[in-house]
Amino acid sequence: WAVRCALEALKVLTNVALIDLGLVQQSLGSVSVQAEFSHVALQVLRTCGGAGARDGCSSSGGSGLGIGWGGVGEQPPANSSAGRALGRILDEMILLLGYLATPTTTEQGVSSVFAGWKNCALMVQALCDLDVS
């Protein structure tokens, strides 16, 4: 249930970004929200990215998401419904981060939502660590 809710929430955000990118960038880039959102985004990338992406999504690594599949470090099979659902969450998160990274033009010039985000460098590293095969 929690995985389905997370997936649907990300779909709503990506659909709103298609309609009004500035609204999503302003909302998720606000000081009161960006720290929490960047933490969640980083955890999704770390949980479902890197070596874990080859085998579904990892429940180990201190994700703190409360998603368990059995023993410590055990992963859902990539072809299981849980593995596919978490893979779709990762896909939606990457899409949303792409929308957020799109430069915007303001009266101060061109800027990016990620400029100044505490976890920006960590998110870029987690994106680079994703298995693209």
Side-chain angles (χ1 to χ4, degrees), residues 58-81:
S58 171
S59 61
S60 62
S63 70
L65 297 176
I67 302 171
W69 275 247
V72 174
E74 198 173 311
Q75 302 169 345
N79 61 354
S80 71
S81 62

Side-chain angles (χ1 to χ4, degrees), residues 1 5 9 17-18 20 25 32 37-38 43-44 49 55 88 92 103 109 112-114 123 131:
W1 182 82
C5 287
L18 284 170
D20 190 350
Q25 288 179 329
S32 60
F37 177 76
S38 65
Q43 291 300 349
V44 167
D55 303 314
R88 288 192 302 268
E92 288 292 326
S112 172
V113 169
F114 289 131
M123 278 193 282
D131 185 10

Side-chain angles (χ1 to χ4, degrees), residues 5-130:
C5 287
L7 178 60
E8 294 304 320
L10 285 170
K11 284 182 178 182
V12 166
L13 287 171
T14 56
N15 286 328
V16 172
L18 284 170
I19 297 167
D20 190 350
L21 180 60
L23 175 69
V24 173
Q25 288 179 329
Q26 182 180 6
S27 299
L28 294 180
S30 70
V31 174
S32 60
V33 175
Q34 75 88 13
E36 287 79 10
F37 177 76
S38 65
H39 177 73
V40 169
L42 183 59
Q43 291 300 349
V44 167
L45 292 172
R46 285 180 172 168
T47 301
C48 297
R54 289 187 289 276
D55 303 314
C57 290
S58 171
S59 61
S60 62
S63 70
L65 297 176
I67 302 171
W69 275 247
V72 174
E74 198 173 311
Q75 302 169 345
N79 61 354
S80 71
S81 62
R84 287 189 304 272
L86 291 174
R88 288 192 302 268
I89 288 174
L90 178 62
D91 293 343
E92 288 292 326
M93 182 60 73
I94 292 169
L95 181 60
L96 183 58
L97 290 174
Y99 286 138
L100 291 174
T102 303
T104 56
T105 304
T106 63
E107 49 277 343
Q108 290 85 19
V110 177
S111 66
S112 172
V113 169
F114 289 131
W117 278 30
K118 179 181 176 185
N119 291 328
C120 181
L122 296 173
M123 278 193 282
V124 170
Q125 183 62 51
L127 286 166
C128 291
D129 289 343
L130 291 174

